[in-house]
Amino acid sequence: MTVADTVLTGARVRTLDPRRPWASAVAVKDGRIAAVGEEADVRDWRGAATEVVDLGGATLTPGFVDGHSHPVWGVDMSDGVGLSAVRDLDGLRAALATAARDLPPGGWVTGWGLDHNVFGDHPVHRALIEDALGGAPAFLRLYDGHSALASGAALAAAGVTGPRTFAQRASVVCDPDGPTGHLVEPAAMDLLADVVPLPDPAQRRARLLASLHEMAAAGLTGAHVMDMQGPGVPELLDAIEADGHLPVRLRLAPWCMPGIDTDGLDHLVALQQLHGRQWRVGGVKFFMDGTVEGGTAWLEHPDCHGEGTDAFWPDPAAYTHAVHHLARAGVRTATHAIGDAAVRHALDTVELLGDTGRFRHRIEHIETVPGDQLPRFAALGVAASMQPLHTAYTRADHTDAWSRRVGEERAGRAWRCRDLRDAGAVLVLGSDWPIAHHDPRATLATARLRRPAGAPDTAPITPEQALTGLMALEGCTIHAALAVGEEHEAGRIAPGYRADLTALTVDPVTAPADDVAAAPVRLTMSGGHVTHRG
């Protein structure tokens, strides 16, 4: 081989390559893995300009990939006061009162990560927060990313005085006195898009870069980005790459929404040509439903509030038509489907494509699904994409908002990760950042524990759905590659594969899961560039 740019040595290399499962040294050249071998091979790989990195006994694996994330849009979504630690209404009002006191004249209180469980048995209503705001406009995103709470002043600024009709399933929730401030699904939240302040372009770029560096420091080398929301995303990424290296490889899937016409679908096809060195558009994101807590998950039987029986696409056949149009153009799709009816319809849509649909489509979230649907994922070649950290919003005793809404039977089959793996499905794991934290070590640990890492006193959620250490690692590596058709260049450590690599001080497969969550990251490499060194 030619002289390597970088040689990684002193490692336990867990390659996930069945032809050579273990090694102790890796050579990197021009962003690709040039050779995999042992310490004795290093002298043949190095030259005067080769950087040799001794990993000091760390375990080197294929680079961790977040299978579902929103790193660019998340910068806008996570603006303002972080509310994820708030546990009750008193805590929420105290946090908002503090934020309101610190506002400049004309300022807004914005917040994110607000847990539905904070409201207890109360409906989500602006009356619960108005007195804490002192008249300031406020826009608070709930943790699911599909709903928000707006104050009266915020609604007035946007001219929202009553219910609206949308092309997608969305609503401005109203009571006899008018809008409650609860805005459900993107179209309703977008009514305030022109009045809610956003970071200026320089702040936005700086926050995005800081966030991507944090991801790299946690071991992430790539992310499947389930949107292309926000102003000028391709231009923003190009500008960052003009000045240096994007720390995390990004694969973006712009949204396809109800009401789209043929020209709109063809525009989505054309977007697939956009790319940079470390980013590209690769696929299209659909929504078949919303969320359980918002009453918009599409369920085969109503939830405990009598809701959840409608699809996000008012005409589900239009969704099927749109998926098939894109599939004929060679475009991959990812469909948000939380409820059992949504999952079934997405699978039915792929089944109608026949063999041409195999290994081209994926379903996101899959929070509750009956057993008869599990074998269909492998049979149809549909990847399952799930987020273990979302279990933190539920409780083993089913007293949380999600479980109470779906009822005991459906809560008892929540997030069936292990059942899907055992049924032969490709199972890619992600975080859905900023809905949950992006740290892949926490994802790996929670997939095995079914509870938050470092919280042994917390009862696990459906513990029979726990993955093994190897399954969890595969979900962030080779299965992530399979889900996007990159299995021949990513997800393993083998010659010719991309040099996307992560080194932890512990073996993520065999170390106790709580230890994996806290393990230092010795090195992260994306595209042959060292993006973090610990």
Side-chain angles (χ1 to χ4, degrees):
M1 60 162 276
T2 56
V3 172
D5 298 325
T6 308
V7 170
L8 304 177
T9 186
R12 294 182 75 247
V13 184
R14 185 182 279 277
T15 68
L16 298 187
D17 180 2
R19 296 165 298 183
R20 182 174 192 157
W22 293 98
S24 61
V26 175
V28 173
K29 178 71 174 178
D30 296 330
R32 297 272 170 172
I33 296 169
V36 179
E38 306 300 334
E39 301 296 327
D41 300 314
V42 170
R43 63 177 178 271
D44 298 325
W45 301 342
R46 61 187 300 181
T50 302
E51 180 183 14
V52 178
V53 180
D54 187 339
L55 293 177
T59 298
L60 184 70
T61 69
F64 298 160
V65 173
D66 190 328
H68 188 121
S69 186
H70 303 279
V72 185
W73 187 37
V75 168
D76 300 331
M77 290 177 66
S78 60
D79 192 41
V81 183
L83 299 171
S84 59
V86 172
R87 292 291 174 262
D88 54 34
L89 283 171
D90 287 342
L92 174 60
R93 286 189 281 257
L96 298 180
T98 298
R101 283 196 300 269
D102 295 337
L103 286 178
W108 281 59
V109 174
T110 57
W112 61 287
L114 179 58
D115 192 338
H116 286 80
N117 291 299
V118 164
F119 297 93
D121 294 328
H122 298 282
V124 178
H125 201 297
R126 59 188 174 86
L128 299 170
I129 64 169
E130 294 283 13
D131 59 342
L133 293 167
F139 183 79
L140 312 176
R141 292 185 181 272
L142 277 81
Y143 84 86
D144 62 4
H146 284 248
S147 55
L149 176 58
S151 70
L155 294 171
V160 178
T161 59
R164 299 288 182 91
T165 300
F166 303 101
Q168 60 187 247
R169 190 180 180 207
S171 63
V172 175
V173 180
C174 295
D175 63 15
D177 296 323
T180 67
H182 192 195
L183 306 171
V184 181
E185 298 301 333
M189 293 188 288
D190 285 348
L191 294 174
L192 273 69
D194 290 337
V195 295
V196 177
L198 291 174
D200 67 36
Q203 290 176 322
R204 188 166 177 251
R205 173 174 169 162
R207 288 180 57 195
L208 172 59
L209 262 176
S211 178
L212 293 176
H213 281 298
E214 288 176 7
M215 292 178 183
L220 278 176
T221 64
H224 299 168
V225 182
M226 291 297 153
D227 71 88
M228 204 166 76
Q229 297 299 99
V233 173
E235 293 78 9
L236 173 61
L237 298 177
D238 276 342
I240 292 173
E241 288 202 318
D243 292 338
H245 186 78
L246 201 62
V248 178
R249 187 186 304 276
L250 304 179
R251 183 185 179 99
L252 293 83
W255 288 357
C256 182
M257 287 297 202
I260 194 168
D261 59 13
T262 299
D263 288 344
L265 291 169
D266 289 340
H267 176 66
L268 289 172
V269 174
L271 288 178
Q272 306 301 306
Q273 305 303 313
L274 298 179
H275 67 89
R277 294 191 306 276
Q278 280 274 99
W279 71 272
R280 62 161 296 185
V281 175
V284 167
K285 167 78 177 297
F286 286 84
F287 294 86
M288 202 63 244
D289 65 356
T291 68
V292 166
E293 296 91 333
T296 53
W298 187 18
L299 303 167
E300 294 182 334
H301 305 288
D303 64 24
C304 293
H305 292 197
E307 298 177 335
T309 56
D310 296 309
F312 185 79
W313 287 62
D315 177 10
Y319 157 85
T320 300
H321 169 78
V323 170
H324 287 193
H325 182 103
L326 295 172
R328 287 192 295 271
V331 177
R332 295 176 173 272
T333 71
T335 297
H336 169 121
I338 279 177
D340 41 23
V343 173
R344 188 185 299 273
H345 188 81
L347 290 169
D348 289 347
T349 293
V350 176
E351 186 170 31
L352 291 172
L353 290 168
D355 287 343
T356 63
R358 292 186 62 77
F359 310 117
R360 303 286 301 175
H361 306 277
R362 52 190 279 179
I363 298 178
E364 310 298 310
H365 305 310
I366 318 169
E367 292 184 3
T368 178
V369 62
D372 65 341
Q373 297 303 296
L374 300 176
R376 298 184 71 196
F377 283 84
L380 298 174
V382 175
S385 171
M386 302 183 76
Q387 299 75 45
L389 293 170
H390 286 195
T391 59
Y393 295 110
T394 60
R395 300 171 190 149
D397 63 5
H398 298 168
T399 59
D400 58 279
W402 187 94
S403 300
R404 286 186 295 150
R405 190 113 193 189
V406 297
E408 286 290 321
E409 190 272 331
R410 284 180 292 216
R413 50 177 164 86
W415 289 280
R416 299 179 73 171
C417 294
R418 183 59 177 265
D419 286 346
L420 280 162
R421 271 302 304 257
D422 288 348
V426 170
L427 178 63
V428 54
L429 302 181
S431 70
D432 202 9
W433 189 87
I435 309 307
H437 199 275
H438 56 66
D439 193 326
R441 297 166 296 180
T443 295
L444 291 169
T446 306
R448 295 166 59 184
L449 297 167
R450 302 291 291 191
R451 61 157 172 82
D457 294 333
T458 300
I461 308 299
T462 50
E464 70 278 5
Q465 297 302 326
L467 300 180
T468 67
L470 180 59
M471 288 175 177
L473 177 61
E474 289 172 340
C476 294
T477 54
I478 188 59
H479 280 229
L482 285 163
V484 293
E486 294 181 342
E487 65 272 20
H488 299 299
E489 63 172 350
R492 304 189 194 279
I493 300 177
Y497 278 58
R498 293 197 301 239
D500 295 350
L501 304 164
T502 303
L504 298 185
T505 56
V506 303
D507 186 335
V509 171
T510 61
D514 286 305
D515 292 349
V516 172
V521 178
R522 187 63 54 80
L523 179 131
T524 310
M525 175 178 281
S526 185
H529 290 256
V530 174
T531 54
H532 171 76
R533 199 188 303 260

